[in-house]
Amino acid sequence: MTTTEFRQPTHLRTVEGFGTVRIDPVDPERDADLIHSWVNEDRARFWGMGGTTVEQVREIYAHLDSLTTHHGFLVRRDGEPVALFQTYEPEADRVSECYEVLPGDIGVHILIAPADTPEPGFSAKLFVALTDFAMNGRTRAVAEPDADNEKAIARLVKAGFELGPEVVLPEVDLPEVFIPAKRARLAFLTR
């Protein structure tokens, strides 16, 4: 997939010493195979989609695409897919039952793609573009990684997030989606 296949990016940011980061909405038809390959790796177990089929991934992101409060984005660096990024309105999400949502808050989830060769500083530089995008017109970002996901929590702290309390996100059981309860650690980035 090359950037020439897209018209206008949702967000485009050149990060010095890293490259050009492009953020586009997930296209469930085009991106399901790629996302499926990422979310079914053991390293992505905290993403909560392990064991899904390509069709289930397509359906999940088609549902997400139908919402006005939750959004999925495919992130590319210099044309290569490197992450899955999701933003959401916290007041329209189960996380709102666990903290006081303030005007200007935005929720974020990130799944960094597997890499053949680890690149020192990769996630820190990627976070520059992601937080620039997510915080545009916002005052605070909230993340809620699984409480056992020490790697994600450490990445958030390194990116400037302040840790909040450990909480239990309640189960969501709707006709179009089921999400089990999750023990999470809240983290906040304030501008």
Side-chain angles (χ1 to χ4, degrees):
M1 197 79 40
T2 65
T3 56
T4 58
E5 294 174 339
F6 303 97
R7 294 176 193 207
Q8 282 294 104
T10 297
H11 186 77
L12 195 62
R13 166 89 190 258
T14 300
V15 178
E16 189 173 332
F18 185 67
T20 300
V21 176
R22 182 184 179 111
I23 303 172
D24 289 295
V26 166
D27 177 325
E29 290 300 319
R30 180 192 68 217
D31 301 328
D33 287 331
L34 176 65
I35 294 170
H36 174 263
S37 72
W38 292 352
V39 301
N40 277 283
E41 289 196 1
D42 182 60
R43 63 181 288 288
R45 66 190 171 282
F46 295 113
W47 196 255
M49 290 176 63
T52 56
T53 64
V54 172
E55 186 55 36
Q56 288 170 318
V57 169
R58 187 176 290 109
E59 289 171 4
I60 289 166
Y61 282 92
H63 172 71
L64 191 67
D65 192 42
S66 74
L67 303 174
T68 60
T69 57
H70 293 65
H71 308 283
F73 301 95
L74 194 60
V75 182
R76 292 175 175 78
R77 176 177 73 159
D78 297 332
E80 292 299 315
V82 295
L84 181 59
F85 189 55
Q86 293 178 196
T87 63
Y88 62 91
E89 300 297 329
E91 65 274 5
D93 191 86
R94 65 184 179 161
V95 74
S96 67
E97 297 182 36
C98 301
Y99 87 102
E100 183 181 348
V101 178
L102 299 176
D105 281 2
I106 188 164
V108 297
H109 297 288
I110 181 166
L111 176 66
I112 296 176
D116 293 333
T117 307
E119 185 179 326
F122 178 88
S123 59
K125 291 175 183 171
L126 182 62
F127 267 78
V128 169
L130 296 178
T131 56
D132 181 53
F133 169 63
M135 297 293 286
N136 185 18
R138 302 296 185 133
T139 54
R140 185 170 70 162
V142 59
E144 20 83 11
D146 189 288
D148 291 328
N149 192 344
E150 295 172 4
K151 202 172 194 178
I153 293 168
R155 277 190 183 128
L156 289 169
V157 169
K158 193 172 183 179
F161 282 73
E162 292 183 24
L163 295 180
E166 189 173 297
V167 299
V168 176
L169 299 176
E171 175 182 287
V172 174
D173 192 2
L174 301 170
E176 59 277 349
V177 66
F178 173 78
I179 306 171
K182 175 177 110 171
R183 193 170 57 87
R185 182 69 185 261
L186 296 182
F188 300 93
L189 179 67
T190 304
R191 288 255 170 108

